[in-house]
Amino acid sequence: MLKGRNILLGVTGSIAAYKAAMLCRLLKTSGADVRVVMTPLAKQFITPLTMATLSKNPILVEFFDPENGAWNSHVSLGEWADCYLIAPATANTLAKMACGIADNLLLTTYLSARCPVAVAPAMDLDMYAHPATQENLEKLRAAGVAVIEPDEGELASGLCGKGRMAEPAQIVRSVEALLDQKKKSLAGKRFLVTAGATIEPIDPVRYLTNHSSGKMGYAIAEALARRGAEVTLLSGRTCLPAPEGVRRIDVLTAADMYRAATELFPSTDGAVMCAAVADYTPAEVADRKLKKGDGDLTIRLCRTRDIAAELGRMKNDRLLVGFALETHDALAHATEKLRRKNFDFVVLNSLQDPGAGFRGDTNKVTLLDPSGAEELPLMCKTEVAGRIADKIENLLR
Ligand code: CTP
């Protein structure tokens, strides 16, 4: 029932943390990919080793890995998750969530998560019944958090009453229901995404290409598909596997990509032009390997057709998103591309920004539309893809 879903399981410092092991196991057997974030106190109740073994993923507790300084990004965790389930959730964590306090990784992830959030409270009956706790739960419900009601029964304190964390099987059912309920925001929409580098053959063994890894375009295709859109990924050269649920069509040259894109575009609601398309291609392709001579070799190149500009002419009320990679006068050049290619918005990356552009896993972009520019901080490419998907969603609304 949870096949292909990413569940982020938050574990806080409650005696009910022992049930988190069973919960994690049930989530896994339902087909979910599970990552676990724990509060520092939760480690006193259940070991990270247990949770790491069951989830088959390293456990996240600190903002940084103390061993190697690697940053655990709460934003990308929130972006990765289809559901953030905090179980058990203590009175203390619920209170902090209700007030927006962010003094550990579990809480910062809550504040930045855009996915549905569910909490399974676990505490003593009087703590649960206390007006402060009830008020905090009300606040969280009002903020859209699903509260999985605790059971009545014997509690760790020896008392009997309401406060015992719901049984793991019940929590899994609640998560399934929550995800079913949450309608996919781009369901029924169709998109074309171009990605990767084109390859322009010179002869049977040599070609012209560029440094594009395809990561940005693949991340966008995945982000749109995860929101329920039907995505066709028109892909040049990359080493990446097709994202789940995305139809991938491989092409080689700029001319192949042009033909496929102009054919596919009319049956979509929009396109994101992420491919690094060659602007020039050899005027002639030798059908036999060119043998070297003593002198220099000149290869005559001719212009390829601009796919984005052609889709810009065809677009009518479809959405068209372009990329601009600039080394100087970035904003001026990107504004010119926005207008000339009839884009609804342009994702501008400047090669002058460290961490932006080709190959890496991060990017620093500015989203530019006719009403102005929004500069985003350095983020991993999946987060950038999420922001682009958000903007597409807003424009289609
Ligand atoms: N693009 C395209 N087809 C081409 C060339 C570019 O679809 N033949 C798309 C890219 O996918 C990107 C945008 O157009 O969305 C980039 O615009 P472009 O003018 O090609 O940028 P540069 O090549 O960087 O332009 P310039 O050389 O003028 O800087």
Side-chain angles (χ1 to χ4, degrees):
M1 283 287 278
L2 291 173
K3 190 163 168 16
R5 298 303 200 137
N6 294 337
I7 308 293
L8 183 61
L9 174 60
V11 183
T12 70
S14 154
I15 186 66
Y18 79 91
K19 290 189 193 171
M22 180 52 81
L23 178 56
C24 180
R25 174 121 187 77
L26 287 180
L27 291 168
K28 290 289 291 181
T29 51
S30 308
D33 199 358
V34 181
R35 301 194 69 183
V36 179
V37 54
M38 298 172 82
T39 59
L41 192 60
K43 291 196 296 182
Q44 310 283 333
F45 290 91
I46 185 157
T47 71
L49 179 63
T50 303
M51 297 308 292
T53 310
L54 291 170
S55 66
K56 298 192 168 59
N57 272 313
I59 300 308
L60 303 154
V61 180
E62 308 292 345
F63 292 106
F64 292 95
D65 183 329
E67 295 286 308
N68 58 18
W71 168 245
N72 292 323
S73 167
H74 53 92
V75 180
S76 50
L77 273 178
E79 181 62 45
W80 171 85
D82 292 311
C83 177
Y84 187 14
L85 166 66
I86 302 175
T90 58
N92 182 43
T93 290
L94 293 170
K96 287 181 180 177
M97 287 169 72
C99 297
I101 293 173
D103 62 357
N104 61 41
L105 185 63
L106 181 143
L107 289 162
T108 46
T109 306
Y110 164 64
L111 288 181
S112 47
R114 292 161 180 229
C115 59
V117 177
V119 291
M123 64 199 75
D124 203 45
L125 77 163
D126 295 315
M127 287 174 86
Y128 184 71
H130 196 283
T133 305
Q134 289 304 316
E135 204 177 304
N136 289 331
L137 286 170
E138 259 333 292
K139 270 197 204 166
L140 290 173
R141 282 191 189 97
V145 173
V147 177
I148 303 167
E149 292 282 324
D151 290 339
E152 283 191 35
E154 197 181 322
L155 299 163
S157 60
L159 297 173
C160 202
K162 189 168 179 176
R164 206 165 83 165
M165 186 174 86
E167 286 308 312
Q170 174 55 44
I171 296 177
V172 173
R173 280 196 295 277
S174 302
V175 169
E176 284 169 353
L178 185 65
L179 286 173
D180 280 351
Q181 213 184 71
K182 173 92 187 165
K183 204 166 156 10
K184 294 272 191 177
S185 52
L186 289 173
K189 301 288 179 198
R190 289 178 176 187
F191 289 98
L192 172 68
V193 178
T194 68
T198 61
I199 285 190
E200 308 300 323
I202 297 169
D203 69 12
V205 288
R206 303 177 182 94
Y207 57 80
L208 298 177
T209 189
N210 58 65
H211 287 303
S212 171
S213 63
K215 283 182 185 168
M216 194 62 251
Y218 274 54
I220 292 171
E222 183 169 15
L224 296 173
R226 281 184 48 193
R227 294 175 193 216
E230 201 181 299
V231 182
T232 303
L233 180 59
L234 201 48
S235 178
R237 178 194 50 79
T238 94
C239 304
L240 303 170
E244 190 157 316
V246 165
R247 175 169 78 124
R248 177 168 115 183
I249 300 176
D250 290 320
V251 289
L252 206 62
T253 64
D256 294 342
M257 194 175 270
Y258 180 93
R259 271 191 296 276
T262 48
E263 195 184 307
L264 292 163
F265 188 54
S267 59
T268 67
D269 295 283
V272 184
M273 312 304 288
C274 212
V277 185
D279 291 323
Y280 294 90
T281 189
E284 283 125 36
V285 182
D287 53 8
R288 299 169 67 183
K289 185 182 170 196
L290 295 175
K291 299 302 283 180
K292 64 178 161 300
D294 291 333
D296 295 341
L297 172 71
T298 303
I299 297 172
R300 196 165 65 84
L301 302 177
C302 55
R303 278 299 308 265
T304 55
R305 290 210 268 185
D306 192 318
I307 306 165
E310 182 56 27
L311 300 196
R313 281 186 285 273
M314 297 164 64
K315 81 187 263 248
N316 296 327
D317 54 1
R318 289 178 199 86
L319 198 80
L320 191 62
V321 181
F323 270 73
L325 178 68
E326 307 292 347
T327 54
H328 59 281
D329 298 334
L331 217 49
H333 286 305
T335 308
E336 189 273 329
K337 275 172 202 168
L338 178 75
R339 191 190 45 73
R340 180 164 49 87
K341 302 202 188 193
N342 202 9
F343 289 137
D344 291 275
F345 69 94
V346 165
V347 183
L348 160 66
N349 27 169
S350 166
L351 272 192
Q352 277 169 347
D353 285 322
F358 291 127
R359 286 198 176 139
D361 288 325
T362 57
N363 208 352
K364 184 171 182 328
V365 304
T366 298
L367 304 182
L368 184 78
D369 66 23
S371 67
E374 183 192 358
E375 199 178 328
L376 303 181
L378 184 71
M379 299 174 170
C380 68
K381 286 183 173 169
T382 51
E383 291 167 52
V384 175
R387 294 299 193 92
I388 293 168
D390 286 347
K391 194 163 170 80
I392 289 173
E393 233 180 272
N394 287 337
L395 288 171
L396 287 176
R397 218 167 260 154

